Amino acid sequence: MTEATAPSSQPESGGGKAHGHGHGASKAALAVGAIGIVFGDIGTSPLYAFRETFAGAVNIAIDRMHVLGVVSLIFWSMVIVVALQYVTILMRADNKGQGGSLALIALISRHIGTTKYAWLVVLLGVFATSLFYGDSMITPAISVLSAVEGLTVVDPGLETFVIPIAVILLICLFVLQQRGTAKVGALFAPVMIVWFITLAGLGLNQIIQNPDILYALNPYYAVMFFITDKFVAFLAMGAVVLAVTGSEALYSDMGHFGRGPMRLSWFGFVMPCLLLNYFGQGAMIAGLPPEQAAEVVKNPFFLLAGEEYRLPLVILATVATFIASQAVISGAFSITHQAMQLGFMPRLSIRHTSETEAGQIYIPVVNWALMVAVILLVLTFQSSSALASAYGIAVTGAVTIDTLLMGVLFVGVWKWKWWYAAPVVIFFLIIDGAYFAANLFKVPDGGWFPLVVGLIAFTLLTTWARGRKLMRERMHETALPIEIFAKSAKNSATRVPGTAIFMASQTAGVPSALLHNIKHNKVLHERVVILTVLIADSPYVDPEERCEYHDLGDGFYRAILHYGFMEETDVPQGLKKMTRCGGEFDMMHTSFFLSRQTLLASENPGMPIWREKIFAWMLRNAATAMDFFRLPSNRVVELGSQVEI
């Protein structure tokens, strides 16, 4: 019963190879699939990003110079943060094809090992992951709400129905999660392709009418915006960054499709469509008299369309935000699974919603917790504009942390000279740090929410990791060497037919379940296997390296099953391939013995009492090892033990 990590001997990079989702498909097919799954978050940002820059808390004059400045800022932010930092650079940092903060720290940790600052790298990665949970709560709320608010453009009298419709849609979204997305997922790509084409068409129509907006391609206008408005322009960055939310998710989702197909989707389709729409919104506003522009900027996206097309646009936007929210929720499941495998979270009940796709998982406790949080956000903030104040700080915090980790990656993994790495990292830190600093001013207006969620998640993740480490240390201190035990036990207990597998968190010593079994039952099976499951710091383990065994003599064996942090720990399936461990395993003649630890108060606690209580609560509520390792329920015996930490 372990979430420990083990080094892997595989090569460093999977070359962006797609594991699981669409494995073996052509690059073009994967690129199309990525449009439906990966780009939903950033693809629905035009609903609110441009609007919030002008109609949000910051008072910006609506004139040609400011419109050009804002559009230029959006354009260059997308180029620098998304296209350059994530799609071009960080996507090269794949851990056997997988991306994201946890995959990145696993990759870095494998190279820097237990060096002086290794713990800081891990903490940064864990905190970036913690912030993702705040983001995954706000994204469905602001996306769906901003789409449904389009009804007020169709008919102002429909305003009272916005909140109820949004809540109903969100409840349906979370209820559908347990059915999985294997069937409806086929519709995601066509719908999102229509969505992006619509974005491009609406924007292009306005650009043709007012081509002067293309001057915004020149960074001069972004610079002049700061020179003219100074602090106001700095605060406006807190809204402009909404245009690049979802950039971290692109990196996290790389493992589903591979870097090549995702780059093709981004540069060849998604980015041009988004930019056409942002430039189109700017062109429309810049071409209006100031009084009319002030009214239109309150919801410019839906006003890009003619009156007869607005209701269909609202429906399309709602479906697009539904898909975008689905992707974020699936991302939360995936991140949680990674955290469990890497030892930062207790075992949770996981259901597989697809017989063919290993990545299609559903985690009930995460799903319902997110649903409650999202509904409360909608009911509390009441509008997407109010939610925009809470949105952004989690994203910019995660992006800034990724920039710091990128610096460690350059020097520790890619072996760049520090004088090459420093200018690149400083450049991105200035950009990302400025966005994060601008969002800090949102904290009183709602920005506190993702920070609180992130802090709670960080506390839980680090408490579990620390508690498990202390438990393993205490158990190791009292562990009896298996070689000595095997020799003394062979003549002191009756041997009975069959196989007994004792699950152990350590690869040394005798598990407490084995000691309790011989103490109380006074018997040993003909074949005794001490089995440890080790999770590598790479996403996948070569099947040929899955099994490891040691013959200890007298019918005793120590076996190890190796899994990657993206793989399912199916122990019975793994045992089918372990034929050298005293013969094949017949599940009808095999019993699994598990230890369930109970914490005791210690005179010298290894961590503060309040954290010990949190750890004890997490331990009590963790899913059983039987479910996590997919053991046959009628072949499991559980024995309790007490541990002080």
Side-chain angles (χ1 to χ4, degrees):
M1 298 185 297
T2 182
E3 292 87 12
T5 59
S8 171
S9 59
Q10 297 186 61
E12 298 310 326
S13 174
K17 188 176 179 181
H19 293 271
H21 194 104
H23 179 58
S26 69
K27 185 175 181 179
L30 288 170
V32 170
I35 293 171
I37 302 294
V38 176
F39 298 101
D41 189 357
I42 196 168
T44 51
S45 294
L47 286 167
Y48 47 80
F50 185 85
R51 176 194 73 196
E52 288 307 313
T53 308
F54 285 99
V58 183
N59 186 20
I60 301 175
I62 306 175
D63 53 35
R64 180 179 180 275
M65 191 277 289
H66 285 92
V67 171
L68 286 173
V70 168
V71 174
S72 183
L73 200 54
I74 290 175
F75 170 73
W76 286 104
S77 297
M78 197 170 290
V79 168
I80 294 171
V81 177
V82 187
L84 186 57
Q85 181 175 355
Y86 277 94
V87 180
T88 302
I89 298 177
L90 273 176
M91 276 192 182
R92 287 184 59 216
D94 64 304
N95 189 344
K96 309 286 174 53
Q98 296 296 318
S101 298
L102 285 178
L104 183 58
I105 63 168
L107 173 65
I108 293 173
S109 296
R110 190 158 67 242
H111 284 79
I112 66 175
T114 56
T115 54
K116 185 177 180 181
Y117 298 105
W119 64 272
L120 184 57
V121 171
V122 173
L123 285 184
L124 283 173
V126 171
F127 192 63
T129 301
S130 303
L131 289 173
F132 175 82
Y133 286 104
D135 184 32
S136 62
M137 294 174 184
I138 299 175
T139 296
I142 191 173
S143 298
V144 173
L145 201 50
S146 62
V148 178
E149 283 171 348
L151 290 171
T152 62
V153 177
V154 177
D155 182 355
L158 296 174
E159 185 175 356
T160 54
F161 296 100
V162 169
I163 299 296
I165 291 174
V167 169
I168 291 171
L169 286 172
L170 288 166
I171 291 174
C172 291
L173 173 67
F174 285 98
V175 170
L176 287 173
Q177 294 305 309
Q178 55 193 318
R179 296 183 178 273
T181 58
K183 294 180 180 178
V184 295
L187 297 174
F188 286 4
V191 171
M192 293 308 294
I193 287 172
V194 171
W195 169 252
F196 282 114
I197 291 174
T198 303
L199 291 181
L202 292 172
L204 188 60
N205 179 50
Q206 295 294 332
I207 294 170
I208 292 171
Q209 297 179 46
N210 188 7
D212 281 359
I213 194 66
L214 295 177
Y215 283 116
L217 292 169
N218 189 339
Y220 164 82
Y221 291 95
V223 174
M224 286 305 298
F225 181 30
F226 281 94
I227 292 174
T228 305
D229 289 73
K230 299 178 178 63
F231 187 64
V232 171
F234 169 72
L235 293 179
M237 292 179 72
V240 169
V241 77
L242 297 176
V244 298
T245 54
S247 53
E248 211 279 339
L250 303 186
Y251 180 43
S252 298
D253 288 333
M254 180 172 62
H256 293 295
F257 301 96
R259 74 163 81 102
M262 287 183 63
R263 284 174 174 170
L264 178 62
S265 298
W266 173 252
F267 288 112
F269 185 68
V270 175
M271 184 178 176
C273 291
L274 287 173
L275 289 175
L276 283 172
N277 193 266
Y278 283 120
F279 275 76
Q281 291 189 50
M284 179 178 66
I285 298 298
L288 295 174
E291 298 79 11
Q292 190 178 355
E295 194 62 31
V296 170
V297 83
K298 292 178 181 177
N299 209 332
F301 176 80
F302 292 102
L303 293 172
L304 288 172
E307 192 170 344
E308 65 275 22
Y309 298 111
R310 286 173 191 165
L311 183 57
L313 182 59
V314 170
I315 295 171
L316 177 61
T318 303
V319 175
T321 55
F322 201 84
I323 292 172
S325 301
Q326 163 65 51
V328 171
I329 296 166
S330 297
F333 295 158
S334 180
I335 288 291
T336 302
H337 182 244
Q338 285 188 33
M340 279 190 284
Q341 296 289 62
L342 290 172
F344 291 107
M345 193 172 285
R347 292 184 297 265
L348 300 175
S349 176
I350 297 177
R351 299 179 193 170
H352 290 262
T353 58
S354 171
E355 295 179 358
T356 57
E357 301 293 345
Q360 295 278 353
I361 60 173
Y362 167 68
I363 305 179
V365 66
V366 174
N367 185 66
W368 301 124
L370 284 178
M371 187 189 79
V372 171
V374 169
I375 301 302
L376 287 175
L377 280 171
V378 171
L379 296 177
T380 303
F381 286 88
Q382 296 282 308
S383 72
S384 59
S385 289
L387 271 168
S389 296
Y391 202 29
I393 195 162
V395 177
T396 53
V399 170
T400 304
I401 290 172
D402 283 346
T403 305
L404 295 171
L405 293 176
M406 188 170 69
V408 182
L409 173 82
F410 289 162
V411 178
V413 180
W414 292 351
K415 306 303 179 184
W416 287 17
K417 300 297 184 184
W418 70 266
W419 54 84
Y420 291 155
V424 178
V425 174
I426 290 172
F427 170 74
F428 285 117
L429 269 181
I430 291 172
I431 304 295
D432 300 334
Y435 277 123
F436 180 66
N439 273 276
L440 287 176
F441 288 89
K442 293 181 178 181
V443 171
D445 298 321
W448 54 268
F449 177 79
L451 290 179
V452 169
V453 171
L455 185 61
I456 292 172
F458 181 77
T459 301
L460 293 176
L461 293 174
T462 53
T463 296
W464 179 258
R466 175 64 178 164
R468 287 294 296 169
K469 182 175 182 291
L470 289 171
M471 281 186 67
R472 288 195 296 269
E473 289 174 353
R474 297 294 185 269
M475 293 166 68
H476 180 72
E477 289 172 2
T478 58
L480 181 68
I482 184 63
E483 293 80 9
I484 297 175
F485 175 83
K487 286 182 173 56
S488 62
K490 66 178 181 179
N491 299 320
S492 61
T494 303
R495 304 300 285 256
V496 295
T499 299
I501 296 179
F502 293 87
M503 303 295 291
S505 60
Q506 302 290 319
T507 57
V510 181
S512 59
L514 177 52
L515 293 173
H516 281 74
N517 180 60
I518 198 170
K519 175 182 177 182
H520 296 290
N521 297 326
K522 307 291 192 300
V523 296
L524 281 173
H525 287 70
E526 287 177 337
R527 179 168 56 162
V528 177
V529 180
I530 300 172
L531 178 63
T532 301
V533 175
L534 289 182
I535 307 302
D537 54 7
S538 55
Y540 300 95
V541 168
D542 191 325
E544 295 180 359
E545 299 178 3
R546 175 88 64 218
C547 308
E548 181 184 343
Y549 89 108
H550 304 279
D551 189 343
L552 305 174
D554 300 312
F556 285 83
Y557 300 87
R558 182 175 291 283
I560 301 172
L561 288 175
H562 297 276
Y563 291 93
F565 62 75
M566 291 295 289
E567 294 182 293
E568 179 187 351
T569 49
D570 190 333
V571 167
Q573 190 66 31
L575 290 174
K576 285 182 180 179
K577 300 178 181 179
M578 191 178 284
T579 57
R580 295 177 299 170
C581 198
E584 294 184 357
F585 289 89
D586 180 0
M587 287 298 112
M588 295 305 296
H589 297 91
T590 300
S591 298
F592 292 88
F593 290 81
L594 310 178
S595 298
R596 177 171 283 273
Q597 289 88 11
T598 300
L599 293 185
L600 295 177
S602 172
E603 294 182 3
N604 299 302
M607 55 183 177
I609 294 299
W610 64 270
R611 292 191 75 181
E612 283 204 5
K613 290 181 178 179
I614 291 175
F615 177 70
W617 171 76
M618 295 173 77
L619 190 65
R620 286 195 304 271
N621 290 279
T624 65
M626 180 182 70
D627 293 332
F628 190 76
F629 294 125
R630 307 196 76 177
L631 305 178
S633 58
N634 60 343
R635 309 301 304 170
V636 173
V637 178
E638 197 168 62
L639 299 169
S641 62
Q642 297 177 327
V643 181
E644 287 186 358
I645 64 170

